[in-house]
Every structure is written in C-alpha cells, then in structure tokens.
Amino acid sequence: MRKIFIAGNWKMVNGAPAEAVALAKEVVNASGSQDNVEVAICPPATAIAAVCEATQGTNVQVGGQNLYPAENGAFTGEISPTFLLAVGCSHVILGHSERRTIFKESDAFINEKVKVALAHGLTPILCCGETDQEREQGVTEKVVETQIRGGLGGLRPDDVTKLVIAYEPVWAIGTGKTATPEDAQSVHAFIRTLLRDLTNDAVADGLRIQYGGSVKPDNAKELLSQPDIDGALVGGASLKADSFGAIIDAGK
Ligand code: 13P
C-alpha cells in the first residue's frame, strides 16, 4: 500500500523567512494529524532554515527545490546537498520542467543530482513531463521514458526505491489546465510499467508517483483516487494553507 504524498512547491514565492514561517505554521495547522498522508513543503532557499525550525517536531517535512551535485567549492550561487541537510531538509525537487527549460538542465545533469541527493540521504522528487506540442505529436510516453531513463541512469533498484517521481505535464503547470484523471492515470501506469522494466516488481509497486499541474482542492480527490496516482506536487494551490490543507484532506 503506497502512502499518499502531498508536496508543495512554493517556487520563487515566500522567500522572506518571516512570511515563509507564517505560511509553514498555517500548513502545520491545516494538515492536522495526517497519519495516512505524508506532507512536505519546499520553500525558496532563503527561507528553508527558518521553515525547518518552525516545522520541527511536526508531520510537515521540508525539501529544497534544487541542488548542485557537489559538496562545496567554486560554484557561485549554488546550493549543495550538505547545506540542505544541515538546515533540516529531507527532500529535494530535481528536474522540474522550469529548470529543464529555463536553465537548460539535461537528463545527464539531473542524473548527477539524483545520485548525489541519494548519496546524502535526501529523497529526490524527480520530475518529468511533456510539453503541449509533444502531447499533440503523440510522443508523451517517449518523452517521459527518456527523462526517467536518463534521470535514473546507473542507479540500482535499491536506490530507485528511495525516490519519488512526479509526473507534471508542462502544459498543465500554472495554466489551470489539469490533465483529466484518466489521461494522468494512463501516463502514471506507463511510468510504473517502465519502472518494472528498469528495476523489479517490488520497487515498481512501492514507488510513489505524484501528479503535478494545476492541482486544486476541487480536482484533487478525483486525481488521487486513480490507482497509480500516489500524491500531488502542488504549485499555486500550496501557497494558501486552506487550499493546500484541502488537497491534503483529499488524500486522506
Ligand atoms: P501549479 O500547481 O501551479 O500548476 O504548479 C505545479 C508545479 O509546477 C509543481 O511543481
């Protein structure tokens, strides 16, 4: 039985520690005692330490939105896995479509990040997803397969079991256009079959695959009731405790 995992990606919003802490505390209250739902929030780097402190001892975990695959050194502007760990992160989002498109991150580079995150005991949330053009061309599965094969390259099944995958169709991110539960389920099932090929039944059956892209309180329940949708990676709706809390409730 896979435990539903709801994560909030705050992107470049709430970077000031005071406002981030205020929202984090509201999320803690709104999420209540979520025995059967796992919850994480991923604030901007400047607010991670304060949010970790504010959520310590609660059920709300904290993740980074990115990392650089080295412990330290001459990498101006970057954040290392040890820094994320030092302030109390347990998770890190990797390969988000905004990083793939705006910052030109390749599957090989994302693979390095996944390996470094795992080596440090951080749980990667590895994102994948097609653009609207790719969906129209009928190459959704091919695109997702390339991203997952690339992102997981060289990993043993034991490693793969420690991560979370997020399927986020690019055309659904921040647009209000959600994939229908059936379309999302079809890609999630494809991903699970691919994982079965890449690893084994136990890993494929146990790994959580989140859906992301305009998840809102009014569509969360239907998405989360699909057999291969095991959670949500939420952008806009995670910036308000009431809507994020309602999405968490939908997963209970
Ligand atoms: P929205 O929920 O705002 O569409 O963002 C999804 C996302 O990119 C989460 O990583």
Side-chain angles (χ1 to χ4, degrees):
M1 187 61 184
R2 296 182 294 267
K3 192 171 187 175
I4 293 285
F5 179 28
I6 308 291
N9 175 7
W10 292 1
K11 305 192 181 183
M12 206 172 74
V13 182
N14 292 317
E19 59 188 10
V21 164
L23 176 57
K25 286 183 173 165
E26 285 175 27
V27 169
V28 168
N29 288 335
S31 62
S33 63
Q34 68 283 2
D35 287 347
N36 50 352
V37 181
E38 196 177 324
V39 177
I41 47 179
C42 304
T46 47
I48 291 175
V51 167
C52 283
E53 209 176 307
T55 54
Q56 214 171 17
T58 74
N59 289 326
V60 176
Q61 307 167 92
V62 182
Q65 298 177 11
N66 184 29
L67 59 68
Y68 188 80
E71 287 203 353
N72 49 51
F75 304 104
T76 301
E78 293 298 305
I79 293 177
S80 100
T82 48
F83 300 172
L84 291 178
L85 283 171
V87 290
C89 282
S90 50
H91 292 71
V92 61
I93 299 171
L94 296 176
H96 190 279
S97 71
E98 285 146 23
R99 299 220 55 94
R100 291 176 187 270
T101 53
I102 303 168
F103 303 101
K104 312 282 181 263
E105 291 192 6
S106 67
D107 288 323
F109 189 43
I110 294 162
N111 178 236
E112 275 185 61
K113 296 182 182 205
V114 169
K115 286 177 174 160
V116 166
L118 287 170
H120 286 84
L122 284 163
T123 300
I125 301 175
L126 173 63
C127 303
C128 61
E130 81 288 0
T131 62
D132 51 356
Q133 211 182 6
E134 289 163 341
R135 176 158 280 262
E136 274 167 29
Q137 289 165 356
V139 293
T140 296
E141 292 186 352
K142 191 165 166 273
V143 168
V144 166
E145 177 167 355
T146 302
Q147 291 171 340
I148 291 182
R149 279 187 187 276
L152 302 185
L155 296 187
R156 292 170 295 128
D158 276 5
D159 295 322
V160 177
T161 198
K162 294 181 193 133
L163 47 85
V164 173
I165 288 182
Y167 167 59
E168 300 202 300
V170 180
W171 49 269
I173 294 177
T175 58
K177 282 194 252 169
T178 326
T180 64
E182 294 73 24
D183 283 347
Q185 163 58 25
S186 151
V187 181
H188 281 236
F190 169 78
I191 293 171
R192 201 173 304 285
T193 303
L194 174 63
L195 290 166
R196 214 174 287 287
D197 288 351
L198 291 173
T199 60
N200 55 49
D201 284 350
V203 173
D205 289 335
L207 200 135
R208 270 107 41 104
I209 308 172
Q210 296 176 314
Y211 170 80
S214 298
V215 177
K216 305 275 182 268
D218 61 0
N219 59 25
K221 188 117 209 147
E222 223 186 331
L223 286 160
L224 294 172
S225 64
Q226 300 298 313
D228 288 294
I229 300 184
D230 313 309
L233 184 54
V234 187
S238 72
L239 299 174
K240 292 266 181 292
D242 55 353
S243 50
F244 192 55
I247 293 169
I248 294 167
D249 284 343
K252 283 184 181 164

